[in-house]
Amino acid sequence: MQISNRLTGIGLAVLGAAAAYGGSLLPPVPGQQVGPNVFPMVIGIGLVLCGIAIAIGVGSSFEEPEQVVAAEDGSHVPAGQEAPVPHAALKTVVPPLLLLFYAFTVDHLGFIPTAAVMVAATCFALGGTWRSALILALCAPPAVHLVFAKLLRVPLPPGLLPMPW
Amino acid sequence: MSTFIEAWQMVLAPDVLIAILLSAIYGLVVGSLPGLSATMATALLVPVTFYLSPIAAIATIITASAMAIFSGDIPGCLLRIPGTPASAAYTDEAYAMTRKGQPELALGICLWFSALGGVFGTLSLIIMAPLLAEFALSFSTFEYFWLAFLGLMCATVVARSSPVKAIAAMLLGLLIACVGIENPAGTPRFTFGSTDLLGGIEVIPALVGCFAVAEVMRAMSVPEPPQLERRKFGSILAGQWKLTKEYPKQQARGNIVGIIIGVLPGAGADMAAWVSYAMAKRFSKTPEKFGTGHPEGLIEAGASNNASLASGWVPSLLFGIPGDTITAIAIGVLYMKGLNPGPTLFTEKASSMYALYIIFMLGNIIMIPLGIIMIRLATFILRAKRYMIMPVIVLLCAVGSFATGNNLFLVITVAAFGVVGYLMEKNGFPVAALVLGIVMGSMVEQHFITSLIKSDGSLLPFFARPVSAVLAAITIGLMVWPLAVWLYKKRPQGRAAAI
Amino acid sequence: MTELSRRHLMAGAAGLGLASQLASPAIAQTFPVRPITLVVPWGAGGGTDATARIVGSIMEREFGQPVNVVNRTGGSGVVGHSAIATGAADGYTIGMITVEITMMHWQGLTQLKHDSYTPLALMNEDPPGVQVSASSPYTDLKSLADAIRANPGRLKASGTGQGGIWHLALVGWLGAMGLPPSAVPWVPSNGAAPAMQDLAAGGIDIVTCSVPEAKAMLDAGRARSLAIMASARNPQFPNVPTLKEAIGVDYSVGAWRGIAAPKNLPAPIAERFTTVLKKINESKEFTDFMAARGFGVKWADGAGFAKFMAEGDAAMGVAMKAAGLARQA
């Protein structure tokens, strides 16, 4: 998702201002000349300056258009000229949503079912067939579970489908 | 001499050799998985070392960490997802080489110069340990402040984008580093009442989100890139000797910088890679080639991060002061096994010390054959379909970040950074600069504030202490230099216009 | 335990007239039937982690069930401590709690306190030492104390972050000498090791951290330990006097580690744990391990541990208010 420089610049400046303001509210600490408020304020002001500079286009001359290497010989194609993917915007948010799904359900469903859903959904969204999604969902979660829970002793929740090991 | 033979006997014991081999494979695999770092590989080994003999226990840590730092380059090179923070500095470079059809060259560079760097680092450990330790002990917070500041400046050098956006990305990283209570004042900042934010945002989930998750997100919106042509994968080591001869200066500089940064407590392989890559670019005759798949920066940074790993053991072994996060864990294991760090380790337990040196050497030597096998196996993913690889990466991101603290909040952090990383990348902000800011943020603040407390608010010691003065001069020089060059270039035109 | 005494115990429980308690000893007899999770609120490789792992490995043998040590890090220890407190009180989730539990609630970081748990056993305590650089002009604690009195605010100390246990040890010591916290300003650091390094680099004058944390630098001849803030000398450092011996100030403090379970753990299970932990605490394997790392072994059973924490908590409250670290409620 490409946002105009003006908008990102303003966004950064607002974030910087909020950080500087939030920082300025922090109480000083006895025995320290420079309190916890100074760093957020310095960084915040820096962000405001950078944001303004970006919004008015300073330094944009250094930027190179995003390129996608398209061929074996390394020739570049400007971004955005490839064939479009259907529902691209919708699919883009799939990975972070799946991670959130994992974080909130793994304790209830258990690792294997949650992981299977994640793997199958990602595979399908990337254009895999139902068959490949199913195969991956059946194989990948137990394999990952074996390595992490058994060999590395990471406590993955058993949930509905405890593994035999 | 008898201690030396004794040391060999210790290393050649079957349990130690098996431990080295298994931990080498383990390190290679864990380091190469996106979402799992070298530090985590070491941390996950701690329970295992509990059941091993002392030499075998230390051998697993030494071997696994060296392997993981190298193999962190593999996913960076093949998928543009760095396996460890130390690889983040040059991931784009390595990936560009792969897309140019030279994955074997890129991975060969990472392997060959990592191993060489490791060997040089070990030699420095053997020959100059007391001298280096002396140097490390002369660093106080004033010096560290300048060092951290220098590290931050690498953001603008490394990035191939607008310097303003690079600085903005770095500042964003610094702001993220502000979150939590781990600041000099011990005051909760920007935690919004959340317990999970109290400890701050850690580098690993941020790195995993910004690179791995963002890469999967990008894959969702673009069609599958053309497959690399099916052909016999070339020799991995071919051409490395030529590169070694072609770039001796870069390599030597990488090794030296790596050793120096590694020996300083608190600054480890991550910072070594950044500084070396930035130096390679700054001193290069062809800086414009950087970022397009040019070997120079890879050589210097690849050598540097592995060299720093070995020299990081110097303060750990002599004074029990960790050089980086990996040796911090290793010190715990040393104590657990009765090899208490300190000068007595070098006198009373000299044979154990020699055994450690031998293991370092062995580890870096077997890195080459095992690394080649690993690279051969890993390159299969270049041929695999994207929809078979990416789902596993998403799963590994979740499990790997969870494993760093056994805390599900880390998975949420990864998701958030995935979105941030994706948006930044799409809008021309270098993600690597954000990671640098998070890595270095607390260091800059910590050392600045503690220095001021020590000097009762005076800024003078920042410039008065000898080492500090040198570092200050370098820092300020580097800041003023581009400005001076710019002004110098402008001058003749200005004069021409005036006349 | 003989059959007779067990029956005796059961009769005693029945005598209390609580039917619910009748069933519990039966549980305690068979406990545990599945793996136990031992939560550590700090990262792998640290001192707490090492102590927990040795305890866990001996416990595994005693119980004949796996004991999984799990590092739950984050939130400066708050996340792990709350994971222990909120676990199911069935004996299958226990944890190693540390001195920070008596400090964090004063800072307003959490609601959790020492009484949010079923204390099972205190296993270790390490008092801080007063360390100076080897090149420092102060060779005994008295000359150092005189220098602090003569020039308040000139000497700087470090050892951990702002408001950490060693910071409060310093404040408490100064308080016991009748001095305000500002007499020796605190330089926050990321732990004892960097502080010891800065001591050697000449950046600071005093480090108050536990003697085992300073051991490597002491052995290297880079630092000197002038005294320890304990009621008795450490047998591993017999030449280091206590505060009382050195300057006649009676003050002791320490960083401790103990095993605790979620609140309302059934008493028979708690007793079972305490019996096993007592055995661990006295085992040669544990004492040898702790001696090798320089850690002090300390013992208190559930009730003793509860009392120990309550006293420590009150003392921390006083020190933290004096240092301006407690959040004014």
Side-chain angles (χ1 to χ4, degrees), chain B residues 332-358:
Chain B
V333 176
L334 282 172
Y335 272 118
M336 203 151 73
K337 293 295 169 190
L339 292 170
N340 290 8
T344 50
L345 191 61
F346 290 77
T347 52
E348 288 168 21
K349 300 221 167 94
S351 53
S352 300
M353 267 317 295
Y354 286 128
L356 291 191
Y357 293 157
I358 296 169

PDB file of all heavy atoms in Angstrom, chain B residues 332-358:
ATOM      1  N   GLY B 332      26.873 -18.220  32.222  1.00  0.00           N
ATOM      2  CA  GLY B 332      26.051 -19.020  33.130  1.00  0.00           C
ATOM      3  C   GLY B 332      26.411 -20.494  33.055  1.00  0.00           C
ATOM      4  O   GLY B 332      26.531 -21.172  34.063  1.00  0.00           O
ATOM      5  N   VAL B 333      26.640 -20.966  31.824  1.00  0.00           N
ATOM      6  CA  VAL B 333      26.995 -22.375  31.650  1.00  0.00           C
ATOM      7  C   VAL B 333      28.388 -22.647  32.216  1.00  0.00           C
ATOM      8  O   VAL B 333      28.619 -23.674  32.849  1.00  0.00           O
ATOM      9  CB  VAL B 333      26.904 -22.765  30.156  1.00  0.00           C
ATOM     10  CG1 VAL B 333      27.367 -24.188  29.939  1.00  0.00           C
ATOM     11  CG2 VAL B 333      25.482 -22.605  29.672  1.00  0.00           C
ATOM     12  N   LEU B 334      29.310 -21.716  31.993  1.00  0.00           N
ATOM     13  CA  LEU B 334      30.671 -21.877  32.545  1.00  0.00           C
ATOM     14  C   LEU B 334      30.606 -22.064  34.055  1.00  0.00           C
ATOM     15  O   LEU B 334      31.232 -22.961  34.617  1.00  0.00           O
ATOM     16  CB  LEU B 334      31.527 -20.645  32.228  1.00  0.00           C
ATOM     17  CG  LEU B 334      32.106 -20.516  30.821  1.00  0.00           C
ATOM     18  CD1 LEU B 334      32.746 -19.159  30.644  1.00  0.00           C
ATOM     19  CD2 LEU B 334      33.142 -21.599  30.568  1.00  0.00           C
ATOM     20  N   TYR B 335      29.847 -21.195  34.701  1.00  0.00           N
ATOM     21  CA  TYR B 335      29.720 -21.288  36.157  1.00  0.00           C
ATOM     22  C   TYR B 335      29.105 -22.619  36.541  1.00  0.00           C
ATOM     23  O   TYR B 335      29.535 -23.282  37.483  1.00  0.00           O
ATOM     24  CB  TYR B 335      28.842 -20.155  36.686  1.00  0.00           C
ATOM     25  CG  TYR B 335      29.579 -18.886  37.008  1.00  0.00           C
ATOM     26  CD1 TYR B 335      29.295 -17.712  36.334  1.00  0.00           C
ATOM     27  CD2 TYR B 335      30.547 -18.861  38.011  1.00  0.00           C
ATOM     28  CE1 TYR B 335      29.960 -16.541  36.637  1.00  0.00           C
ATOM     29  CE2 TYR B 335      31.210 -17.693  38.315  1.00  0.00           C
ATOM     30  CZ  TYR B 335      30.922 -16.527  37.634  1.00  0.00           C
ATOM     31  OH  TYR B 335      31.573 -15.379  37.930  1.00  0.00           O
ATOM     32  N   MET B 336      28.066 -22.996  35.791  1.00  0.00           N
ATOM     33  CA  MET B 336      27.336 -24.207  36.134  1.00  0.00           C
ATOM     34  C   MET B 336      28.256 -25.414  36.073  1.00  0.00           C
ATOM     35  O   MET B 336      28.087 -26.387  36.797  1.00  0.00           O
ATOM     36  CB  MET B 336      26.180 -24.371  35.154  1.00  0.00           C
ATOM     37  CG  MET B 336      25.049 -25.211  35.655  1.00  0.00           C
ATOM     38  SD  MET B 336      23.524 -24.674  34.898  1.00  0.00           S
ATOM     39  CE  MET B 336      23.691 -25.283  33.246  1.00  0.00           C
ATOM     40  N   LYS B 337      29.272 -25.332  35.202  1.00  0.00           N
ATOM     41  CA  LYS B 337      30.145 -26.475  35.001  1.00  0.00           C
ATOM     42  C   LYS B 337      31.443 -26.343  35.791  1.00  0.00           C
ATOM     43  O   LYS B 337      32.407 -27.066  35.537  1.00  0.00           O
ATOM     44  CB  LYS B 337      30.462 -26.616  33.505  1.00  0.00           C
ATOM     45  CG  LYS B 337      29.256 -26.988  32.690  1.00  0.00           C
ATOM     46  CD  LYS B 337      28.759 -28.371  33.074  1.00  0.00           C
ATOM     47  CE  LYS B 337      27.407 -28.669  32.479  1.00  0.00           C
ATOM     48  NZ  LYS B 337      26.850 -29.896  33.062  1.00  0.00           N
ATOM     49  N   GLY B 338      31.497 -25.397  36.702  1.00  0.00           N
ATOM     50  CA  GLY B 338      32.679 -25.244  37.548  1.00  0.00           C
ATOM     51  C   GLY B 338      33.873 -24.631  36.846  1.00  0.00           C
ATOM     52  O   GLY B 338      34.976 -24.623  37.378  1.00  0.00           O
ATOM     53  N   LEU B 339      33.683 -24.116  35.623  1.00  0.00           N
ATOM     54  CA  LEU B 339      34.775 -23.426  34.931  1.00  0.00           C
ATOM     55  C   LEU B 339      34.598 -21.928  35.178  1.00  0.00           C
ATOM     56  O   LEU B 339      34.347 -21.159  34.266  1.00  0.00           O
ATOM     57  CB  LEU B 339      34.731 -23.716  33.433  1.00  0.00           C
ATOM     58  CG  LEU B 339      35.034 -25.147  32.999  1.00  0.00           C
ATOM     59  CD1 LEU B 339      34.723 -25.335  31.527  1.00  0.00           C
ATOM     60  CD2 LEU B 339      36.492 -25.482  33.256  1.00  0.00           C
ATOM     61  N   ASN B 340      34.720 -21.520  36.438  1.00  0.00           N
ATOM     62  CA  ASN B 340      34.420 -20.137  36.762  1.00  0.00           C
ATOM     63  C   ASN B 340      35.338 -19.169  36.035  1.00  0.00           C
ATOM     64  O   ASN B 340      36.553 -19.339  36.070  1.00  0.00           O
ATOM     65  CB  ASN B 340      34.561 -19.923  38.270  1.00  0.00           C
ATOM     66  CG  ASN B 340      33.450 -20.621  39.023  1.00  0.00           C
ATOM     67  OD1 ASN B 340      32.682 -21.367  38.431  1.00  0.00           O
ATOM     68  ND2 ASN B 340      33.366 -20.384  40.311  1.00  0.00           N
ATOM     69  N   PRO B 341      34.758 -18.175  35.343  1.00  0.00           N
ATOM     70  CA  PRO B 341      35.591 -17.222  34.624  1.00  0.00           C
ATOM     71  C   PRO B 341      36.508 -16.486  35.592  1.00  0.00           C
ATOM     72  O   PRO B 341      36.181 -16.320  36.769  1.00  0.00           O
ATOM     73  CB  PRO B 341      34.585 -16.247  34.010  1.00  0.00           C
ATOM     74  CG  PRO B 341      33.287 -16.911  34.081  1.00  0.00           C
ATOM     75  CD  PRO B 341      33.342 -17.870  35.214  1.00  0.00           C
ATOM     76  N   GLY B 342      37.619 -16.041  35.088  1.00  0.00           N
ATOM     77  CA  GLY B 342      38.587 -15.332  35.917  1.00  0.00           C
ATOM     78  C   GLY B 342      39.980 -15.760  35.530  1.00  0.00           C
ATOM     79  O   GLY B 342      40.148 -16.725  34.772  1.00  0.00           O
ATOM     80  N   PRO B 343      40.988 -15.064  36.010  1.00  0.00           N
ATOM     81  CA  PRO B 343      42.356 -15.411  35.610  1.00  0.00           C
ATOM     82  C   PRO B 343      42.753 -16.819  36.032  1.00  0.00           C
ATOM     83  O   PRO B 343      43.622 -17.426  35.411  1.00  0.00           O
ATOM     84  CB  PRO B 343      43.215 -14.367  36.322  1.00  0.00           C
ATOM     85  CG  PRO B 343      42.353 -13.771  37.369  1.00  0.00           C
ATOM     86  CD  PRO B 343      40.943 -13.931  36.939  1.00  0.00           C
ATOM     87  N   THR B 344      42.102 -17.359  37.060  1.00  0.00           N
ATOM     88  CA  THR B 344      42.470 -18.706  37.475  1.00  0.00           C
ATOM     89  C   THR B 344      42.136 -19.718  36.395  1.00  0.00           C
ATOM     90  O   THR B 344      42.756 -20.770  36.308  1.00  0.00           O
ATOM     91  CB  THR B 344      41.715 -19.106  38.757  1.00  0.00           C
ATOM     92  OG1 THR B 344      40.332 -18.836  38.565  1.00  0.00           O
ATOM     93  CG2 THR B 344      42.213 -18.344  39.959  1.00  0.00           C
ATOM     94  N   LEU B 345      41.175 -19.375  35.545  1.00  0.00           N
ATOM     95  CA  LEU B 345      40.822 -20.263  34.444  1.00  0.00           C
ATOM     96  C   LEU B 345      42.031 -20.470  33.539  1.00  0.00           C
ATOM     97  O   LEU B 345      42.228 -21.533  32.977  1.00  0.00           O
ATOM     98  CB  LEU B 345      39.652 -19.652  33.664  1.00  0.00           C
ATOM     99  CG  LEU B 345      38.956 -20.529  32.640  1.00  0.00           C
ATOM    100  CD1 LEU B 345      38.353 -21.738  33.301  1.00  0.00           C
ATOM    101  CD2 LEU B 345      37.877 -19.740  31.935  1.00  0.00           C
ATOM    102  N   PHE B 346      42.855 -19.421  33.411  1.00  0.00           N
ATOM    103  CA  PHE B 346      44.008 -19.491  32.511  1.00  0.00           C
ATOM    104  C   PHE B 346      45.194 -20.169  33.179  1.00  0.00           C
ATOM    105  O   PHE B 346      46.082 -20.645  32.507  1.00  0.00           O
ATOM    106  CB  PHE B 346      44.415 -18.083  32.058  1.00  0.00           C
ATOM    107  CG  PHE B 346      43.428 -17.469  31.123  1.00  0.00           C
ATOM    108  CD1 PHE B 346      42.237 -16.939  31.594  1.00  0.00           C
ATOM    109  CD2 PHE B 346      43.681 -17.424  29.763  1.00  0.00           C
ATOM    110  CE1 PHE B 346      41.320 -16.384  30.730  1.00  0.00           C
ATOM    111  CE2 PHE B 346      42.769 -16.875  28.898  1.00  0.00           C
ATOM    112  CZ  PHE B 346      41.583 -16.351  29.382  1.00  0.00           C
ATOM    113  N   THR B 347      45.235 -20.153  34.508  1.00  0.00           N
ATOM    114  CA  THR B 347      46.378 -20.739  35.199  1.00  0.00           C
ATOM    115  C   THR B 347      46.047 -22.144  35.701  1.00  0.00           C
ATOM    116  O   THR B 347      46.651 -23.112  35.274  1.00  0.00           O
ATOM    117  CB  THR B 347      46.805 -19.830  36.363  1.00  0.00           C
ATOM    118  OG1 THR B 347      45.658 -19.551  37.155  1.00  0.00           O
ATOM    119  CG2 THR B 347      47.391 -18.539  35.861  1.00  0.00           C
ATOM    120  N   GLU B 348      45.049 -22.227  36.563  1.00  0.00           N
ATOM    121  CA  GLU B 348      44.759 -23.533  37.166  1.00  0.00           C
ATOM    122  C   GLU B 348      44.100 -24.484  36.193  1.00  0.00           C
ATOM    123  O   GLU B 348      44.279 -25.691  36.270  1.00  0.00           O
ATOM    124  CB  GLU B 348      43.846 -23.360  38.389  1.00  0.00           C
ATOM    125  CG  GLU B 348      44.558 -22.760  39.570  1.00  0.00           C
ATOM    126  CD  GLU B 348      43.582 -22.328  40.646  1.00  0.00           C
ATOM    127  OE1 GLU B 348      42.450 -22.829  40.675  1.00  0.00           O
ATOM    128  OE2 GLU B 348      43.970 -21.458  41.449  1.00  0.00           O
ATOM    129  N   LYS B 349      43.280 -23.939  35.288  1.00  0.00           N
ATOM    130  CA  LYS B 349      42.562 -24.820  34.365  1.00  0.00           C
ATOM    131  C   LYS B 349      43.051 -24.582  32.949  1.00  0.00           C
ATOM    132  O   LYS B 349      42.264 -24.512  32.005  1.00  0.00           O
ATOM    133  CB  LYS B 349      41.056 -24.545  34.463  1.00  0.00           C
ATOM    134  CG  LYS B 349      40.512 -24.781  35.871  1.00  0.00           C
ATOM    135  CD  LYS B 349      39.173 -25.481  35.843  1.00  0.00           C
ATOM    136  CE  LYS B 349      38.772 -26.010  37.205  1.00  0.00           C
ATOM    137  NZ  LYS B 349      37.935 -25.109  37.977  1.00  0.00           N
ATOM    138  N   ALA B 350      44.377 -24.446  32.801  1.00  0.00           N
ATOM    139  CA  ALA B 350      44.937 -24.104  31.491  1.00  0.00           C
ATOM    140  C   ALA B 350      44.544 -25.118  30.434  1.00  0.00           C
ATOM    141  O   ALA B 350      44.252 -24.745  29.295  1.00  0.00           O
ATOM    142  CB  ALA B 350      46.446 -23.987  31.583  1.00  0.00           C
ATOM    143  N   SER B 351      44.479 -26.384  30.776  1.00  0.00           N
ATOM    144  CA  SER B 351      44.149 -27.382  29.759  1.00  0.00           C
ATOM    145  C   SER B 351      42.722 -27.180  29.259  1.00  0.00           C
ATOM    146  O   SER B 351      42.456 -27.316  28.059  1.00  0.00           O
ATOM    147  CB  SER B 351      44.339 -28.795  30.308  1.00  0.00           C
ATOM    148  OG  SER B 351      43.619 -28.945  31.503  1.00  0.00           O
ATOM    149  N   SER B 352      41.809 -26.814  30.152  1.00  0.00           N
ATOM    150  CA  SER B 352      40.437 -26.522  29.719  1.00  0.00           C
ATOM    151  C   SER B 352      40.416 -25.324  28.778  1.00  0.00           C
ATOM    152  O   SER B 352      39.674 -25.299  27.798  1.00  0.00           O
ATOM    153  CB  SER B 352      39.544 -26.221  30.919  1.00  0.00           C
ATOM    154  OG  SER B 352      39.495 -27.308  31.784  1.00  0.00           O
ATOM    155  N   MET B 353      41.243 -24.325  29.095  1.00  0.00           N
ATOM    156  CA  MET B 353      41.322 -23.134  28.241  1.00  0.00           C
ATOM    157  C   MET B 353      41.780 -23.512  26.838  1.00  0.00           C
ATOM    158  O   MET B 353      41.198 -23.104  25.842  1.00  0.00           O
ATOM    159  CB  MET B 353      42.334 -22.141  28.825  1.00  0.00           C
ATOM    160  CG  MET B 353      41.803 -21.084  29.738  1.00  0.00           C
ATOM    161  SD  MET B 353      40.304 -20.345  29.164  1.00  0.00           S
ATOM    162  CE  MET B 353      40.898 -19.581  27.697  1.00  0.00           C
ATOM    163  N   TYR B 354      42.882 -24.298  26.786  1.00  0.00           N
ATOM    164  CA  TYR B 354      43.376 -24.731  25.475  1.00  0.00           C
ATOM    165  C   TYR B 354      42.302 -25.526  24.749  1.00  0.00           C
ATOM    166  O   TYR B 354      42.140 -25.405  23.533  1.00  0.00           O
ATOM    167  CB  TYR B 354      44.645 -25.568  25.641  1.00  0.00           C
ATOM    168  CG  TYR B 354      45.861 -24.752  26.005  1.00  0.00           C
ATOM    169  CD1 TYR B 354      46.658 -25.088  27.101  1.00  0.00           C
ATOM    170  CD2 TYR B 354      46.219 -23.641  25.251  1.00  0.00           C
ATOM    171  CE1 TYR B 354      47.769 -24.342  27.450  1.00  0.00           C
ATOM    172  CE2 TYR B 354      47.332 -22.886  25.585  1.00  0.00           C
ATOM    173  CZ  TYR B 354      48.107 -23.241  26.686  1.00  0.00           C
ATOM    174  OH  TYR B 354      49.186 -22.487  27.012  1.00  0.00           O
ATOM    175  N   ALA B 355      41.587 -26.346  25.513  1.00  0.00           N
ATOM    176  CA  ALA B 355      40.526 -27.132  24.894  1.00  0.00           C
ATOM    177  C   ALA B 355      39.496 -26.201  24.253  1.00  0.00           C
ATOM    178  O   ALA B 355      39.028 -26.448  23.134  1.00  0.00           O
ATOM    179  CB  ALA B 355      39.867 -28.032  25.929  1.00  0.00           C
ATOM    180  N   LEU B 356      39.170 -25.097  24.938  1.00  0.00           N
ATOM    181  CA  LEU B 356      38.215 -24.138  24.363  1.00  0.00           C
ATOM    182  C   LEU B 356      38.748 -23.564  23.056  1.00  0.00           C
ATOM    183  O   LEU B 356      38.028 -23.456  22.062  1.00  0.00           O
ATOM    184  CB  LEU B 356      37.958 -22.984  25.336  1.00  0.00           C
ATOM    185  CG  LEU B 356      37.184 -23.276  26.613  1.00  0.00           C
ATOM    186  CD1 LEU B 356      36.798 -21.975  27.293  1.00  0.00           C
ATOM    187  CD2 LEU B 356      35.929 -24.058  26.291  1.00  0.00           C
ATOM    188  N   TYR B 357      40.049 -23.205  23.053  1.00  0.00           N
ATOM    189  CA  TYR B 357      40.649 -22.658  21.825  1.00  0.00           C
ATOM    190  C   TYR B 357      40.530 -23.664  20.686  1.00  0.00           C
ATOM    191  O   TYR B 357      40.172 -23.327  19.553  1.00  0.00           O
ATOM    192  CB  TYR B 357      42.130 -22.344  22.052  1.00  0.00           C
ATOM    193  CG  TYR B 357      42.390 -21.223  23.016  1.00  0.00           C
ATOM    194  CD1 TYR B 357      43.609 -21.142  23.679  1.00  0.00           C
ATOM    195  CD2 TYR B 357      41.451 -20.230  23.250  1.00  0.00           C
ATOM    196  CE1 TYR B 357      43.879 -20.114  24.563  1.00  0.00           C
ATOM    197  CE2 TYR B 357      41.711 -19.204  24.129  1.00  0.00           C
ATOM    198  CZ  TYR B 357      42.929 -19.152  24.793  1.00  0.00           C
ATOM    199  OH  TYR B 357      43.200 -18.132  25.660  1.00  0.00           O
ATOM    200  N   ILE B 358      40.861 -24.923  21.004  1.00  0.00           N
ATOM    201  CA  ILE B 358      40.826 -25.953  19.966  1.00  0.00           C
ATOM    202  C   ILE B 358      39.399 -26.091  19.427  1.00  0.00           C
ATOM    203  O   ILE B 358      39.183 -26.196  18.211  1.00  0.00           O
ATOM    204  CB  ILE B 358      41.338 -27.295  20.529  1.00  0.00           C
ATOM    205  CG1 ILE B 358      42.811 -27.161  20.921  1.00  0.00           C
ATOM    206  CG2 ILE B 358      41.169 -28.409  19.506  1.00  0.00           C
ATOM    207  CD1 ILE B 358      43.350 -28.320  21.727  1.00  0.00           C
TER     208      ILE B 358
END
